[in-house]
Amino acid sequence: DSNSIAVTTSPASVGGTVSPASTCLQTPTNSVTLTLSGHTGSVIRWESSVDNFVTTPTSITNNTTSLPLTNVAVTTYYRAIVQSGTCGTATSSVATVTTGPVTASPATTITCAGFTANWTKVTGATTYLLDVSTNNFASFVGIYNGYAVGDNASFVVAGLIANTTYQYRISPVYTCGTYSTPSTPVSVLVKAAIDKKWNGSSWDGDGNPPTALTQNIEFAGNYSNNEPLTGCSCLVTSGNVEIQSGQTMTLQNALRVSGGTLKFTDKSSLIQTDNVQNTGNITYERTTPNVRRYDFTFWSTPVWLTANNGPALNVFSTLTYIDKYHSYNGTAWVYETPSNPMKVGKGYNIRAPQDHSITVATPFSGSFTGVPNNGNIDGESVVAGNYYLSGNPYPSAIDIDKFLKDPNNI
């Protein structure tokens, strides 16, 4: 007699191919179904990983050839594990589902005029879009409305206004487009690192006045010291503040008057190096040399009240005779209605007040009240070949040689 032995053989396990091999999803509410084909054996489970299976994957209980997915939160990799009979297991190809928002991190390197926005890069993104706002994205700051910052994990945001709270958020851009949900916003207060506050009798800290662009200047009381001031920005909250004749306040960033008053007396100046918008009114005084009633002086407003408009002519020089306010239109002197506002950047020829003597010359002091001009300013429209009376629009002197030689002004 002979013995019979039954031998069962199985083909080698073949993992097969998962399709689609790559899926891009733009919204947090999403779905896709992965399908396995070309395999040999049975599916014993699926696996997922967020690092392309560098570390131990997560097992998915599913022994079918279809894997339905919903609301995938981050870029994730999937594969099927296949076994033919008692043969060893085989692994399918890997399918990638690219999706998910960015996590924004706290700002760093906060300066007088900006900060560095930070975030954690996500797999599959080709670039990132940056939003910056001061009102929780009801509107946006300058260019920072979906501003492309490249395939980076940080970006330096500059040209901002000191003592202002900003919010920023990041959106990743995948091959299928921009992910619909930005990161959770991050708030950051833009200001210099050091505060120098005048309390009405002395400067906080070491008692010395601010002398560096890394310092914030704040006035919370009456001030009339005869000293130059240099800082990142200036905030006036209370008190009557006077910058004395011959002194200069130099700021990198914005001036804000939210309370009290700020006066620049004759021959004092406000210099600002960044193109930022000031808020709140100042009073800017200027005094002519001795003039008689029939003498004229060229004037220009260093402040604004409404868009491109300073104070009215007859508010600046109240007692000038009604028909003695003039401007030049390119070919001739023209009469200006006394109630006309002084256009920023335009020069005016104004006669001395009627209460001045005809024979005895005395000074005339004029005051401009409004928001101090700063940054790039467009003057009036001109015609080539004509002459115009232009005026310095800033609350400080300008270098006339540099102005005339600047090709942008030709």
Side-chain angles (χ1 to χ4, degrees):
D1 292 338
S2 60
N3 294 323
S4 297
I5 299 175
V7 178
T8 302
T9 62
S10 300
S13 301
V14 176
T17 302
V18 178
S19 60
S22 178
T23 303
C24 184
L25 303 172
Q26 291 179 260
T27 62
T29 303
N30 55 59
S31 65
V32 63
T33 298
L34 303 180
T35 302
L36 178 67
S37 63
H39 60 291
T40 300
S42 301
V43 175
I44 60 174
R45 68 178 182 275
W46 288 77
E47 294 179 343
S48 67
S49 170
V50 295
D51 60 7
N52 203 8
F53 303 100
V54 173
T55 59
T56 302
T58 300
S59 293
I60 302 172
T61 303
N62 183 326
N63 57 8
T64 71
T65 57
S66 294
L67 179 64
L69 302 172
T70 57
N71 301 336
V72 180
V74 297
T75 294
T76 307
Y77 304 88
Y78 297 90
R79 68 189 183 188
I81 306 301
V82 176
Q83 185 175 33
S84 175
T86 59
C87 296
T89 59
T91 302
S92 72
S93 64
V94 175
T96 305
V97 177
T98 302
T99 192
V102 170
T103 299
S105 307
T108 55
T109 319
I110 301 170
T111 67
C112 175
F115 58 86
T116 298
N118 302 292
W119 59 93
T120 301
K121 294 176 65 175
V122 292
T123 303
T126 57
T127 189
Y128 298 86
L129 304 182
L130 172 65
D131 298 332
V132 180
S133 177
T134 59
N135 53 18
N136 292 313
F137 307 102
S139 61
F140 299 87
V141 175
I143 62 174
Y144 300 111
N145 179 6
Y147 184 71
V149 296
D151 186 15
N152 300 299
S154 64
F155 185 81
V156 176
V157 181
L160 304 182
I161 298 176
N163 295 310
T164 302
T165 298
Y166 291 86
Q167 304 87 38
Y168 71 88
R169 64 188 185 187
I170 304 292
S171 299
V173 179
Y174 299 113
T175 56
C176 55
T178 304
Y179 193 71
S180 64
T181 304
S183 67
T184 300
V186 173
S187 293
V188 54
L189 174 61
V190 170
K191 60 179 294 187
I194 303 171
D195 291 320
K196 296 290 288 187
K197 184 176 182 180
W198 176 263
N199 59 25
S201 59
S202 63
W203 291 104
D204 287 349
D206 58 12
N208 295 320
T211 58
L213 297 177
T214 55
Q215 299 173 318
N216 297 299
I217 304 173
E218 181 179 347
F219 290 99
N222 295 337
Y223 172 87
S224 60
N225 290 9
N226 190 22
E227 58 194 8
L229 303 172
T230 300
C232 157
S233 62
C234 179
L235 172 64
V236 180
T237 58
S238 63
N240 298 316
V241 179
E242 289 192 8
I243 307 303
Q244 297 301 305
S245 178
Q247 299 299 340
T248 298
M249 176 186 286
T250 302
L251 303 176
Q252 176 184 342
N253 208 278
L255 169 66
R256 185 172 64 177
V257 181
S258 62
T261 63
L262 175 58
K263 178 190 293 186
F264 288 83
T265 59
D266 184 48
K267 297 180 181 178
S268 66
S269 296
L270 168 64
I271 297 175
Q272 295 173 274
T273 59
D274 282 5
N275 185 5
V276 293
Q277 181 65 62
N278 299 313
T279 56
N281 290 347
I282 67 166
T283 298
Y284 193 79
E285 295 181 342
R286 281 299 179 263
T287 301
T288 68
N290 291 340
V291 291
R292 300 176 181 84
R293 183 185 304 172
Y294 299 143
D295 292 335
F296 284 80
T297 303
F298 292 161
W299 293 97
S300 180
T301 178
V303 302
W304 63 273
L305 293 171
T306 59
N308 206 39
N309 291 323
L313 290 162
N314 61 0
V315 170
F316 169 69
S317 184
T318 306
L319 297 179
T320 291
Y321 195 67
I322 190 172
D323 65 350
K324 296 301 183 273
Y325 303 94
H326 303 125
S327 63
Y328 203 79
N329 67 1
T331 58
W333 291 104
V334 293
Y335 160 73
E336 292 275 351
T337 302
S339 60
N340 286 349
M342 300 178 75
K343 297 291 184 181
V344 173
K346 185 178 179 68
Y348 295 89
N349 191 27
I350 302 176
R351 204 177 79 173
Q354 285 295 102
D355 62 353
H356 272 48
S357 168
I358 297 175
T359 57
V360 179
T362 55
F364 165 71
S365 293
S367 295
F368 299 90
T369 298
V371 181
N373 296 319
N374 184 45
N376 299 327
I377 294 174
D378 294 327
E380 62 180 323
S381 299
V382 298
V383 177
N386 289 346
Y387 292 93
Y388 297 87
L389 181 61
S390 297
N392 175 14
Y394 301 106
S396 60
I398 61 174
D399 188 319
I400 190 62
D401 290 329
K402 290 183 178 179
F403 176 80
L404 294 176
K405 292 177 181 179
D406 188 332
N408 294 320
N409 296 327
I410 295 177

